[in-house]
Amino acid sequence: MSMGQSSSDPRTFAGFSDVSALRANRLLAALPSAVLQDIAPHLRQLNLERGRVLFEPGDDVDLTHFPTRSAIISLLLVTRDGREVEAASIGREGAAGGIVSSGHKPAYGRAVVQIAGPVLVIATEQLEAAKRRRPEIADLFSRYADALLAQVMQSVVCNALHPVEQRACRWLLATHDRSETDIIRLTQQSLAEMLGVQRTTVSGVAKTLEHRGLIRQHHGHVEVIDRDGLEETCCECYQAVEDHFRLLLPEVSED
């Protein structure tokens, strides 16, 4: 993965002293140094706890969040009776917000911190101004919007056609990609909510995957033991989204 040509001098970033934090989000790291310097003064770093709601349906998305390290934000569709199903997840390869370029920016779904961790935050209006000044930013976000739409579309297919076991493997693989270790901070209840199924269903799937030696369950987290086995068990949806992402954003993807 290309990490850009960011300066090693923290003073270059006009008050944002933690340059490594800027590089920790791959979407930001893909920007040339001069472009990154343009938006760095407007960024701030926050540590968000699991369950933090970033916006609700209909809210104006006035902040754009860039997850770093193992932080993951889920985009959820919410039904009238309050049930939720995940449409997409965003880790350090992307951003929640910042896709709409002008005017009112109402959210269609709910954004929730699924796995706690540090994020970089910028006012969306500041990001929009930077897009107008810097075509590279606008181009990067346009391509990222396409990749995010592909993830949403593939989730529709996966949820409609594939069994829970394969869907669970897809979620574990995507989350493992964004983790710094083989440990994923995840409860069965959380996974059930993401997949839109009962906890007992997820419990049965997890036991099956553990019996096959693919994962190991612990209190409050899951350990990936055999990633190749998870990929073999998973449906084609995981790889389809990964392949499309690499085509659109090769400078953001890992080598």
Side-chain angles (χ1 to χ4, degrees), residues 130-254:
K131 288 181 186 178
R132 292 190 289 271
R133 293 191 302 270
R134 298 284 190 173
E136 301 96 325
I137 301 177
D139 173 67
L140 187 69
F141 267 85
S142 292
R143 288 183 286 132
Y144 177 66
D146 192 322
L148 192 60
L149 177 60
Q151 185 184 164
V152 173
M153 293 173 67
Q154 198 70 45
S155 292
V156 173
V157 173
C158 195
N159 291 338
L161 301 180
H162 297 145
V164 176
E165 180 179 287
Q166 291 184 327
R167 291 162 54 199
C169 289
R170 175 174 66 89
W171 204 95
L172 289 170
L173 286 167
T175 305
H176 186 243
D177 288 342
R178 296 151 174 163
S179 299
E180 297 176 304
T181 69
D182 289 332
I183 302 294
I184 299 173
R185 290 173 289 171
L186 178 73
T187 64
Q188 290 185 359
Q189 182 61 39
S190 298
L191 184 55
E193 292 171 357
M194 294 303 97
L195 298 178
V197 299
Q198 297 295 321
R199 183 184 180 280
T200 52
T201 302
V202 167
S203 177
V205 168
K207 287 180 181 177
T208 298
L209 297 178
E210 187 169 38
H211 179 72
R212 295 177 188 168
L214 305 183
I215 65 171
R216 183 179 295 123
Q217 298 185 81
H218 304 272
H219 181 68
H221 61 271
V222 174
E223 182 179 2
V224 174
I225 302 299
D226 182 358
R227 182 184 168 93
D228 290 341
L230 281 178
E231 291 184 4
E232 291 174 3
T233 306
C234 185
C235 53
E236 70 268 24
C237 295
Y238 165 76
Q239 197 59 51
V241 171
E242 288 297 301
D243 290 345
H244 190 64
F245 190 94
R246 291 190 182 100
L247 285 173
L248 287 170
L249 294 156
E251 71 274 44
V252 177
S253 300
E254 286 184 301

Side-chain angles (χ1 to χ4, degrees), residues 46-94:
L46 300 175
N47 286 302
L48 298 183
E49 69 279 6
R50 183 189 178 280
R52 172 80 173 270
V53 177
L54 304 181
F55 52 77
E56 293 279 7
D59 287 353
D60 195 38
V61 185
D62 54 1
L63 294 175
T64 295
H65 295 78
F66 297 86
T68 66
R69 302 188 64 179
S70 296
I72 293 180
I73 296 170
S74 289
L75 299 182
L76 307 172
L77 297 182
V78 186
T79 63
R80 288 183 180 179
D81 60 3
R83 289 181 295 176
E84 303 172 341
V85 176
E86 185 182 75
S89 60
I90 298 166
R92 61 178 181 261
E93 81 293 339

